[in-house]
Amino acid sequence: MTLTKTTCPYCGVGCGVLAGADGTIKGDPNHPANFGRLCSKGSALGETIDLDGRLLEPKIEGRAAEWDEALDLVASKFSAAIAEHGPDSVAFYASGQLLTEDYYVANKLMKGFIGSANIDTNSRLCMASSVAGHKRAFGTDTVPGVYTDLEEADLIVLVGSNLAWCHPVLYQRIVAAKEARPAMRVINIDPRRTATSDLADLHLQIAPDGDIALFNGLLTHLADAGKIDDQYTTQHVNGMAEAIATARQSDPTDTGISAQDLATFYDLWASTEKVVTIYSQGVNQSETGTDKVNAILNCHLATGRIGKPGMGPFSVTGQPNAMGGREVGGLANMLANHLELGNADHRQAVQAFWKSPAICTQAGLKAVDLFDACAKGQIKALWVMSTNPAVSLPDADGVAAAIANVPFVVTSDIMEKTDTNDLAHVCLPATGWGEKNGTVTNSERRISRQRAFLPAPGQARPDWQIVSDVATRMGFGKAFAYRTPQDVFAEYVALDAATSQFPRDLDLSIFADADYANLIPTQWPRNDQRFFADGKFYHPDGKAQMIPVTAPALAKPRFQLNTGRNRDQWHTMTRTGKSARLGPHLAEPYVEIHPQDAADLGVTVGDLIRVESTYGTAILRALVTPRIAAGQLFAPMHWTRQLTTSGTVNSLTAPVTDPVSGQPALKSGAVVANVYKAKWYGFLASADAMTPQTPYAAIAKTQTGWQAEVAGRKLPSDWVAEARLLSGRSTGDAALHSDPATGLTRVAISQDGITKALFFAAPQPVIMSRPASIALIGTDAAPLTALAGRAPADQPDPGATVCGCFNVGRNTLLNAASKGARSVTALGEATCAGTNCGSCKPELAALLAEAALPMAAE
Ligand SMILES: Nc1nc2c(c(=O)[nH]1)N[C@H]1C(S)=C(S)[C@@H](COP(=O)(O)OP(=O)(O)OC[C@H]3O[C@@H](n4cnc5c(=O)[nH]c(N)nc54)[C@H](O)[C@@H]3O)O[C@H]1N2
Ligand SMILES: Nc1nc2c(c(=O)[nH]1)N[C@H]1C(S)=C(S)[C@@H](COP(=O)(O)OP(=O)(O)OC[C@H]3O[C@@H](n4cnc5c(=O)[nH]c(N)nc54)[C@H](O)[C@@H]3O)O[C@H]1N2
Ligand code: SF4
Ligand SMILES: [Mo]
């Protein structure tokens, strides 16, 4: 089997992958991002490349169509809207999951040929505050850090980053570095305790949005402790006195962090030269996100701890090509290639290079405003590419209604059924990971190739080609006559050369003669170059700018909703949701709640909670845990209307944005929470796919088919009929068993002696082993065995999945621990758990700690 060198399509770590058409997936030992490591999601890539659920032909109003018909329709609708209502009446909403080539072409069509800047992307929900903070401080959007800084640092501060789950390979690099150099210190700043906190020497459980007060306090401490680098700041930094004076007005005790912990943090930061501050969505996704970024950058600038080995601020990017999108200028307030939309010389140079009939002259609509304009009827034609805004934007129900209000909506996606596709007039099938060619840039500015190792399925086409095909039909054929992604990349590099008279950080000259086919992962401007080492920044006077930032007054609603990610799922689950290995780690939409709050609400283990806001409602499974602070809730963003009836968390979030960056505050919003008492609760394992339909329902892929967690408000009169309805199985033999003592009802449906569906329902949440029932689907187990809901004696029940890579369950691990495997390493040797990506290691450690205690109820 020949393996193709490519790059993982998930997070911004940008790991090198060796992939084969038979689904073989290995970490690329030579890729400088991961040196052979992969996380659970990367390792499971082979399970997500099948064609199940793929969109394989263009669809118009749900019916299959030829490309020509679909492309003609898209081009004519966009052209007509522009002719009638002007260029600003149309919009693109793109994604950091597009390849650089796709992104470049989409940006060029909108800004240079349609002549509007109405192209924004999901990076607005992700990196916009970092971009804005960088620009204010450095004069450019530059990420100065490189990954080896993490290994060289003596102190790593993680702010609003759950690196263990969201950038697992970087996390593993830190774990390895800390093992090699135990003196290295890690501090984690997060309102909840996460898997990342488990590595930290100190976890600062900060009040939501307390970050500015915290870093202003640090700046004040640095000034008072004589830790300002006077020589560096005099030569290279403006605005310090004002920034410090403003910082002094903040009260760090507003952070909710104890005086002792504050002192430890401040002293350690002040006394450690080599400090890297990693930050992510706990910083960016806030009403004060840009100010938070600058509060962090201020401390690094004041101490000159930037751009040198082992030190600096480090905004780790979320999506595989978040950086590439920023480079090509794919946001509504950027031009192209780090050129300024507001600069007439820049605009003219780009227009001359593109030989384009138009060039946008003012910033376009940012994501939240863009969908607001859709709601108001201002957008007549919308094209959504490689993103799922009906799920991922705040006020997702409002956004879905806004999309439905647009007269003509096009999507390009790889999957057929998504919440956004359900609202589109035309769906265009794109080639996905493994089928397409192009480049991506990771968090450390390293450009790597994605390479195809599979044929394009059905009628699917690469995104750059789809956009070019439409551009051609809109009359711009000459400027979009690309034959290959290499043509696009070459033009992108040439635009950089053609505009080199405008000094800026982006410099692609190293790629001028690149061998695209064999391109090795390379950083711009050069490998291992750290920006700002020489104290040169990109404001007109060459200096950096410290920004005075004021801590906001903190809201104190009864409940504040925090949102984010799970270890084994990717965003709206269109791909990771296909992997049975990734499903079981956390198989339903849940909400973390503090034990005291749970007690106040009368919530016990397994209960459902109804969360409400001004914008909507969600029903989520209670996960009672002291990891979350009292008064706060945390729910993952992943579940959609395809997989749940009421688990879409952005139904709750508010479209409130940071005034500088336009990034929505997805991490904190006032909500009301109450226990949701259903009349009955159920669990269903089935051989076939199901549709969520009860008031609470969450479906997930399993090793033997599908599972559903359900709950209803009306007792069914006939449980067999209910089981048939939920499983979609109207035929086959049904066996029913009801236990009046416990109220537990069990139904088994079999076909020709093979178990096809197992259903368990009870007046209270059903406590039973899910894996055991799932394992019985597709077997010829006697109905009575199947109905027992327990694994047969010869097949021990593995318990809930802990290690996603090797599918090792909790019971298997506890069993190994009882037989003497008492360390994470020993557990790994006994069961393989944790030996691939290692992101379950914190859970293994927790399980070992817990194994010494009496076992919990489940
Ligand atoms: N498994 C997995 N990995 C992913 C993704 C995925 O979907 N799944 N998505 C990728 C993408 S696009 C992104 S952007 C990244 C995101 O990566 P992260 O930003 O690390 O992930 P999140 O879970 O969104 O949020 C991080 C933490 O911010 C904390 N937080 C909330 N409010 C505050 C606050 O006010 N202050 C501070 N200091 N912290 C706060 C939350 O409690 C949470 O633990 O992950 C990438 N990697
Ligand atoms: N509450 C809350 N909401 C959030 C966040 C949060 O922390 N909390 N985080 C935000 C952040 S940081 C992000 S990045 C967004 C992510 O949110 P989205 O971008 O909406 O989520 P994805 O599921 O990644 O959507 C990608 C879509 O592209 C499709 N796709 C995959 N590959 C290709 C391809 O090659 N071509 C095309 N055309 N399509 C493809 C997938 O099937 C999927 O439908 O969510 C944001 N929303
Ligand atoms: S850390 Fe995991 S998800 Fe991120 S690029 Fe590497 S393998 Fe992919
Ligand atoms: Mo993101």
Side-chain angles (χ1 to χ4, degrees), residues 10-13 39-41 97 122 125-127 158-168 188-197 204 206-211 214-215 279-286 288 292 316-320 322 561-573 576 592 628 632-634 636-638 663 666-668:
Y10 296 125
C11 84
V13 178
C39 76
S40 51
K41 294 180 299 305
Q97 294 170 70
N122 60 5
L125 318 180
C126 184
M127 289 298 145
L158 293 141
V159 195
S161 153
N162 186 5
L163 207 74
W165 281 10
C166 295
H167 299 90
N188 176 218
I189 301 165
D190 195 308
R192 48 178 203 133
R193 212 184 150 79
T194 65
T196 306
S197 321
L204 301 178
I206 194 169
D209 285 341
D211 306 82
L214 179 69
F215 281 90
Y279 56 96
S280 188
Q281 298 315 339
V283 170
N284 293 337
Q285 286 173 342
S286 158
T288 53
K292 286 192 191 187
V316 282
T317 50
Q319 300 178 87
L561 178 69
N562 179 2
T563 65
R565 290 158 171 79
N566 281 358
R567 191 189 74 192
D568 288 354
Q569 295 300 344
W570 179 261
H571 297 161
T572 69
M573 293 169 69
T576 44
E592 291 181 359
I628 186 105
Q632 294 173 42
L633 303 171
F634 174 86
M637 62 168 290
H638 304 295
Q663 179 155 355
L666 291 161
K667 294 271 185 271
S668 56

Side-chain angles (χ1 to χ4, degrees), residues 215-256:
F215 281 90
N216 272 351
L218 175 60
L219 185 60
T220 306
H221 177 86
L222 293 168
D224 293 346
K227 291 291 178 180
I228 303 292
D229 184 334
D230 290 322
Q231 201 188 347
Y232 183 87
T233 50
T234 310
Q235 284 177 13
H236 305 301
V237 180
N238 289 322
M240 188 168 73
E242 205 192 339
I244 293 176
T246 308
R248 285 192 188 285
Q249 286 156 29
S250 285
D251 179 359
T253 58
D254 285 348
T255 57

Side-chain angles (χ1 to χ4, degrees), residues 602-680:
V603 167
T604 52
V605 172
D607 266 339
L608 296 168
I609 296 185
R610 178 211 267 280
V611 187
E612 285 166 283
S613 76
T614 321
Y615 300 92
T617 305
I619 302 173
L620 308 163
R621 186 76 66 185
L623 204 161
V624 181
T625 168
R627 289 182 159 253
I628 186 105
Q632 294 173 42
L633 303 171
F634 174 86
M637 62 168 290
H638 304 295
W639 276 274
T640 65
R641 302 171 190 88
Q642 309 293 320
L643 299 171
T644 65
T645 35
S646 51
T648 307
V649 158
N650 279 325
S651 297
L652 301 166
T653 51
V656 167
T657 57
D658 175 293
V660 186
S661 68
Q663 179 155 355
L666 291 161
K667 294 271 185 271
S668 56
V671 292
V672 173
N674 282 297
V675 64
Y676 176 86
K677 284 287 180 205
K679 274 270 178 325
W680 62 274

Side-chain angles (χ1 to χ4, degrees), residues 595-836:
Q596 187 55 55
D597 288 330
D600 288 354
L601 299 185
V603 167
T604 52
V605 172
D607 266 339
L608 296 168
I609 296 185
R610 178 211 267 280
V611 187
E612 285 166 283
S613 76
T614 321
Y615 300 92
T617 305
I619 302 173
L620 308 163
R621 186 76 66 185
L623 204 161
V624 181
T625 168
R627 289 182 159 253
I628 186 105
Q632 294 173 42
L633 303 171
F634 174 86
M637 62 168 290
H638 304 295
W639 276 274
T640 65
R641 302 171 190 88
Q642 309 293 320
L643 299 171
T644 65
T645 35
S646 51
T648 307
V649 158
N650 279 325
S651 297
L652 301 166
T653 51
V656 167
T657 57
D658 175 293
V660 186
S661 68
Q663 179 155 355
L666 291 161
K667 294 271 185 271
S668 56
V671 292
V672 173
N674 282 297
V675 64
Y676 176 86
K677 284 287 180 205
K679 274 270 178 325
W680 62 274
Y681 302 79
F683 172 75
L684 181 81
S686 168
D688 306 306
M690 299 172 275
T691 312
Q693 45 191 315
T694 43
Y696 176 83
I699 61 170
K701 191 97 177 59
T702 66
Q703 301 282 355
T704 57
W706 289 82
Q707 70 163 61
E709 297 286 350
V710 291
R713 284 220 121 158
K714 226 174 88 205
L715 270 185
S717 53
D718 178 346
W719 284 110
V720 170
E722 185 70 17
R724 288 197 186 281
L725 179 75
L726 293 176
S727 64
R729 196 159 272 284
S730 51
T731 59
D733 303 324
L736 171 77
H737 179 272
S738 293
D739 182 347
T742 59
L744 183 65
T745 301
R746 310 154 192 238
V747 180
I749 302 178
S750 60
Q751 192 90 46
D752 305 323
I754 303 296
T755 306
K756 293 292 188 183
L758 285 171
F759 177 54
F760 303 83
Q764 49 320 102
V766 177
I767 309 270
M768 47 150 307
S769 168
R770 271 73 174 154
S773 303
I774 290 165
L776 289 164
I777 298 296
T779 69
D780 58 1
L784 266 185
T785 317
L787 285 177
R790 271 197 308 273
D794 59 334
Q795 285 170 29
D797 172 11
T801 304
V802 177
C803 168
C805 296
F806 294 112
N807 201 11
V808 187
R810 185 185 158 80
N811 294 346
T812 310
L813 290 162
L814 287 172
N815 187 30
S818 72
K819 290 189 179 139
R822 293 288 163 78
S823 68
V824 170
T825 313
L827 276 179
E829 280 162 11
T831 67
C832 287
T835 57
N836 182 44

Side-chain angles (χ1 to χ4, degrees), residues 95 97-98 102 122-123 125-127 281 285 319 385-389 391-394 412-415 418 428 430-433 436 463 563-565 570-575 637 649-650 653 663 666-667:
S95 165
Q97 294 170 70
L98 289 170
D102 305 327
N122 60 5
S123 284
L125 318 180
C126 184
M127 289 298 145
Q281 298 315 339
Q285 286 173 342
Q319 300 178 87
M385 304 173 195
S386 199
T387 176
N388 196 357
V391 185
S392 55
L393 267 142
S412 316
D413 208 290
I414 57 167
M415 302 306 289
T418 75
L428 302 173
T431 45
W433 183 78
K436 57 198 259 175
D463 287 289
T563 65
R565 290 158 171 79
W570 179 261
H571 297 161
T572 69
M573 293 169 69
T574 64
R575 286 172 289 167
M637 62 168 290
V649 158
N650 279 325
T653 51
Q663 179 155 355
L666 291 161
K667 294 271 185 271

Side-chain angles (χ1 to χ4, degrees), residues 161-501:
S161 153
N162 186 5
L163 207 74
W165 281 10
C166 295
H167 299 90
V169 166
L170 284 188
Y171 171 80
Q172 285 307 319
R173 285 180 70 158
I174 297 176
V175 171
K178 200 167 187 299
E179 266 166 23
R181 266 188 319 118
M184 180 177 179
R185 288 286 165 265
V186 176
I187 294 180
N188 176 218
I189 301 165
D190 195 308
R192 48 178 203 133
R193 212 184 150 79
T194 65
T196 306
S197 321
D198 295 344
L199 170 74
D201 299 285
L202 180 64
H203 170 224
L204 301 178
Q205 194 158 20
I206 194 169
D209 285 341
D211 306 82
I212 296 175
L214 179 69
F215 281 90
N216 272 351
L218 175 60
L219 185 60
T220 306
H221 177 86
L222 293 168
D224 293 346
K227 291 291 178 180
I228 303 292
D229 184 334
D230 290 322
Q231 201 188 347
Y232 183 87
T233 50
T234 310
Q235 284 177 13
H236 305 301
V237 180
N238 289 322
M240 188 168 73
E242 205 192 339
I244 293 176
T246 308
R248 285 192 188 285
Q249 286 156 29
S250 285
D251 179 359
T253 58
D254 285 348
T255 57
I257 299 167
S258 72
Q260 194 190 340
D261 282 353
L262 282 174
T264 310
F265 172 54
Y266 290 167
D267 286 341
L268 196 57
W269 214 100
S271 61
T272 314
E273 181 72 6
K274 288 190 170 180
V275 41
V276 172
T277 309
I278 295 179
Y279 56 96
S280 188
Q281 298 315 339
V283 170
N284 293 337
Q285 286 173 342
S286 158
E287 228 181 316
T288 53
T290 309
D291 283 354
K292 286 192 191 187
V293 169
N294 287 107
I296 294 169
L297 300 182
N298 282 347
C299 296
H300 281 275
L301 288 171
T303 49
R305 294 180 192 163
I306 186 164
K308 299 171 199 141
M311 57 184 98
F314 205 148
S315 154
V316 282
T317 50
Q319 300 178 87
N321 202 29
M323 290 284 266
R326 282 148 72 172
E327 287 154 21
V328 303
L331 281 156
N333 51 331
M334 297 174 158
L335 188 52
N337 292 41
H338 281 206
L339 292 163
E340 297 292 331
L341 187 60
N343 183 316
D345 294 336
H346 290 194
R347 290 199 302 268
Q348 204 227 328
V350 172
Q351 183 174 10
F353 178 83
W354 280 342
K355 300 191 181 63
S356 73
I359 193 87
C360 55
T361 50
Q362 61 189 38
L365 293 166
K366 297 179 179 136
V368 171
D369 297 335
L370 171 58
F371 288 95
D372 197 37
C374 291
K376 291 188 178 129
Q378 291 159 4
I379 300 296
K380 310 295 179 191
L382 171 71
W383 188 350
V384 177
M385 304 173 195
S386 199
T387 176
N388 196 357
V391 185
S392 55
L393 267 142
D395 183 21
D397 298 347
V399 167
I403 297 173
N405 191 43
V406 178
F408 186 70
V409 179
V410 190
T411 56
S412 316
D413 208 290
I414 57 167
M415 302 306 289
E416 180 166 10
K417 289 290 291 169
T418 75
D419 289 4
T420 307
N421 283 359
D422 283 354
L423 301 165
H425 301 93
V426 177
C427 299
L428 302 173
T431 45
W433 183 78
E435 303 151 4
K436 57 198 259 175
N437 281 297
T439 54
V440 288
T441 310
N442 73 2
S443 292
E444 59 163 0
R445 288 175 274 107
R446 192 178 298 279
I447 298 185
S448 296
R449 279 290 316 271
Q450 271 197 19
R451 293 186 178 86
F453 56 92
L454 295 164
Q459 305 291 311
R461 291 183 184 175
D463 287 289
W464 63 265
Q465 193 181 349
I466 301 175
V467 176
S468 301
D469 288 344
V470 169
T472 302
R473 282 168 169 77
M474 290 175 77
F476 311 128
K478 217 165 145 216
F480 291 86
Y482 309 110
R483 288 160 300 126
T484 61
Q486 179 168 8
D487 291 347
V488 183
F489 188 78
E491 182 181 310
Y492 165 55
V493 174
L495 172 56
D496 184 65
T499 51
S500 61
Q501 73 271 29

